[in-house]
Amino acid sequence: MRRVVPVVFKAACPDCRGRFELAAGALRLAIGASSRTTFYSFTCPECGTAVRKPAGDRIVQLLSGAGVRTLRLHSTV
C-alpha cells in the first residue's frame, strides 16, 4: 500500500510579508479566457488578508494537478 503525502505550497503575503506553507485545500484557482483573468488566491493565515496572484500555465498545471479547487471563468462576450 502506498502512502499519500499531502502537497503543500510555499506562499507569501504582500501585506504582512509573512511566509508560510499552504495545503492544496487553502488555495483556489480561477482560469479565465486570458492571462489577466487567470489567478490563484488564498487567505493569509497570519493577517487574514485575501491575496490574489496571477497564474501562468506552469502554476495552473501544478495547482490543478495537486487537487486545488478550480473555477473556470466564462466570457460573456
Side-chain angles (χ1 to χ4, degrees), residues 9 15 21 23 29 32-34 39 45 48-49 52-53 63 65 74 76:
F9 296 94
D15 279 5
E21 291 184 342
L29 175 63
S34 71
F39 61 90
T49 297
R52 177 177 161 166
K53 296 189 175 190
L63 295 179
H74 297 283
T76 58

Side-chain angles (χ1 to χ4, degrees), residues 19-34:
R19 296 192 177 283
F20 37 83
E21 291 184 342
L22 295 172
L27 296 159
R28 291 154 311 277
L29 175 63
I31 301 175
S34 71

Side-chain angles (χ1 to χ4, degrees), residues 8-76:
V8 293
F9 296 94
K10 291 184 181 185
C13 176
D15 279 5
C16 72
R17 297 183 184 229
R19 296 192 177 283
F20 37 83
E21 291 184 342
L22 295 172
L27 296 159
R28 291 154 311 277
L29 175 63
I31 301 175
S34 71
S35 60
R36 288 182 39 216
T37 58
T38 300
F39 61 90
Y40 66 97
S41 62
F42 59 90
T43 301
C44 175
E46 294 185 13
C47 72
T49 297
V51 178
R52 177 177 161 166
K53 296 189 175 190
D57 291 338
R58 181 72 178 133
I59 298 294
V60 168
Q61 288 176 350
L62 289 171
L63 295 179
S64 59
V68 170
R69 288 174 293 178
T70 302
L71 172 66
R72 293 201 178 268
L73 305 175
H74 297 283
S75 174
T76 58

